[in-house]
Amino acid sequence: MSYAIGVDIGGTKIAIAIVDKSGKLLEQEVIPTDVDILPENMIHRINESISTIIDHAGIALKEIDGIGIGSPGPLDSKSGIITCPPNLKNWIDVPIVKEIGTYFGLPVTLENDANAAAVAEKWLGAAKECVDFAYVTISTGIGAGFYVDGKLLSGSRGNAGDIGHAVVDPSYGQCSCGQYGCLEYIASGTAIARRGSKIKGKELTTKQIFSLFHEGDEHITTYIHDVFQKIGVACVSIINTLDPEKIVIGGGVSKVGDPLFQAVTDYVRQNALNPAGRRTPVVPATLDQNAGVIGAAALCYNI
C-alpha cells in the first residue's frame, strides 16, 4: 500500500493528513496558522506535524508517494513558491516545496488551495461524473478551481480561478488588493463578519450574523440576500465564460445552506446568457472541510 501526505494551508489553520489511494484519511492533525512568526518557523511546525502523523500511523517513509500542498495564492506552482497571499502577510516568495522536500526527501507538489479542493471534488465528491465544472470556495477568502475538458485549469503559474478579486460591485468600497468591489471583499466569511458587525453596531462573528439571518433580523436579512446575489453574479460570469456542467460551492459560508443555493440558482436561471446555461446545477460540495487536504494529497496521485 502507498500513501500521500496532504497539507492544506489556510489563513487561520493548517490541516495535515495521510490519505490512501482510495481517498481515506488515515491520520489527521490541524495546527493554527501563526502569521506573526517567520514563514520558515511555521514550515518547521508543518514538518513536525507531518512527522507526528507518520509516526502515529506506523507508516514507513518509503511507503509515501509524496507530499501535496494546497496554499492560498498568489503562488508559483511550477517554481514551488508561495509569493504573496493576502491572508499570510509575511509569506513573501517562500520556497515551500524546497523546504519541505529537503526535510523529508520526498517529491512535493504545490497547487492553489481552491484547485486542490476541486481535485478532491472531482475524485470523490460532487463532481465525480463531470468533465467540465467549477468548484467555488467561500471561506476566509474566495477562490475557484476549474476543470475544462477533464483537466484542471491551472494557468501559467497556478493562479487561475482567483475569482475573489473579480469586481462585482464597486459601491462596497476598496478591497485590500486595491480594487473596489471585489467579490471577496463582499461575500467572504471575513467580509460578512466585518460588514454585519457594522450593521449591528457590535463585534459579531460570521456564524452569529448567519444566526441573525436565520432568525429573520430585518437589516441582516437584507444584507445577506445582497451577498447571495453577488455570489450569483460570480456564478453567472463563470457560466458565461467557461460553460460548465455544474458549479460546486464549498467553504464555511456555504454552510448557511439552502437559502444560499436557492438564491444563487434563481439568479442563474434568470441571468445566464445561454438558455442551457440557466439550467446549470449549483450544488454543495460533499467533502466538507476535508476537501482541501484530500485534494492536496491527490496531487501526488495524478488524479
Side-chain angles (χ1 to χ4, degrees):
M1 178 70 77
S2 60
Y3 307 91
I5 305 292
V7 179
D8 181 28
I9 299 174
T12 57
K13 65 181 185 297
I14 299 171
I16 300 159
I18 299 175
V19 181
D20 69 17
K21 283 194 171 181
S22 71
K24 180 182 177 182
L25 273 72
L26 274 71
E27 291 282 343
Q28 183 174 16
E29 185 168 292
V30 177
I31 60 175
T33 305
D34 189 342
V35 296
D36 295 321
I37 65 174
L38 292 173
E40 50 263 40
N41 293 336
M42 196 66 236
I43 291 171
H44 179 68
R45 293 182 185 178
I46 292 170
N47 287 338
E48 288 182 329
S49 182
I50 292 172
S51 297
T52 297
I53 64 170
I54 290 172
D55 288 344
H56 286 172
I59 293 170
L61 205 58
K62 65 182 180 181
E63 296 180 272
I64 297 173
D65 289 342
I67 299 170
I69 304 168
S71 167
L75 48 74
D76 187 333
S77 59
K78 293 178 175 60
S79 300
I81 295 171
I82 298 174
T83 54
C84 55
N87 294 326
L88 299 171
K89 60 184 180 182
N90 296 326
W91 291 54
I92 308 299
D93 295 331
V94 177
I96 190 167
V97 165
K98 180 180 178 181
E99 292 191 22
I100 292 181
T102 300
Y103 188 92
F104 288 100
L106 290 170
V108 180
T109 304
L110 175 66
E111 188 59 83
N112 180 279
D113 53 357
N115 286 349
V119 171
E121 290 294 332
K122 169 64 175 170
W123 183 21
L124 301 168
K128 283 191 291 187
E129 308 303 322
C130 295
V131 175
D132 296 86
F133 76 95
Y135 170 83
V136 179
T137 178
I138 310 175
S139 191
T140 304
I142 296 178
F146 303 132
Y147 265 77
V148 178
D149 293 333
K151 297 179 180 178
L152 184 67
L153 182 66
S154 291
S156 62
R157 290 172 293 274
N159 294 302
D162 202 351
I163 64 165
H165 296 283
V167 173
V168 294
D169 189 344
S171 71
Y172 268 82
Q174 189 174 22
C175 178
S176 60
C177 77
Q179 295 195 105
Y180 285 79
C182 289
L183 179 66
E184 183 169 298
Y185 188 72
I186 298 168
S188 67
T190 306
I192 291 168
R194 181 186 63 247
R195 195 171 184 93
S197 295
K198 185 176 180 181
I199 290 169
K200 297 306 293 181
K202 59 182 178 180
E203 202 70 25
L204 295 169
T205 65
T206 309
K207 185 176 180 179
Q208 289 170 325
I209 290 163
F210 278 131
S211 292
L212 290 171
F213 168 71
H214 287 302
E215 291 165 10
D217 180 282
E218 180 181 358
H219 296 104
I220 290 296
T221 297
T222 299
Y223 163 58
I224 294 298
H225 278 305
D226 195 55
V227 168
F228 292 164
Q229 187 208 44
K230 299 305 183 288
I231 295 169
V233 169
C235 288
V236 165
S237 295
I238 290 170
I239 291 166
N240 290 348
T241 304
L242 293 174
D243 194 25
E245 301 165 66
K246 181 184 286 187
I247 294 178
V248 180
I249 300 180
V253 170
S254 70
K255 303 308 172 193
V256 70
D258 287 344
L260 166 65
F261 289 93
Q262 190 59 58
V264 173
T265 296
D266 289 345
Y267 191 89
V268 166
R269 285 174 178 167
Q270 294 171 30
N271 294 288
L273 182 63
N274 189 321
R278 294 173 200 153
R279 297 192 294 272
T280 305
V282 181
V283 304
T286 59
L287 295 178
D288 200 34
Q289 301 304 312
N290 289 326
V293 74
I294 291 173
L299 298 172
C300 305
Y301 295 142
N302 296 314
I303 300 300

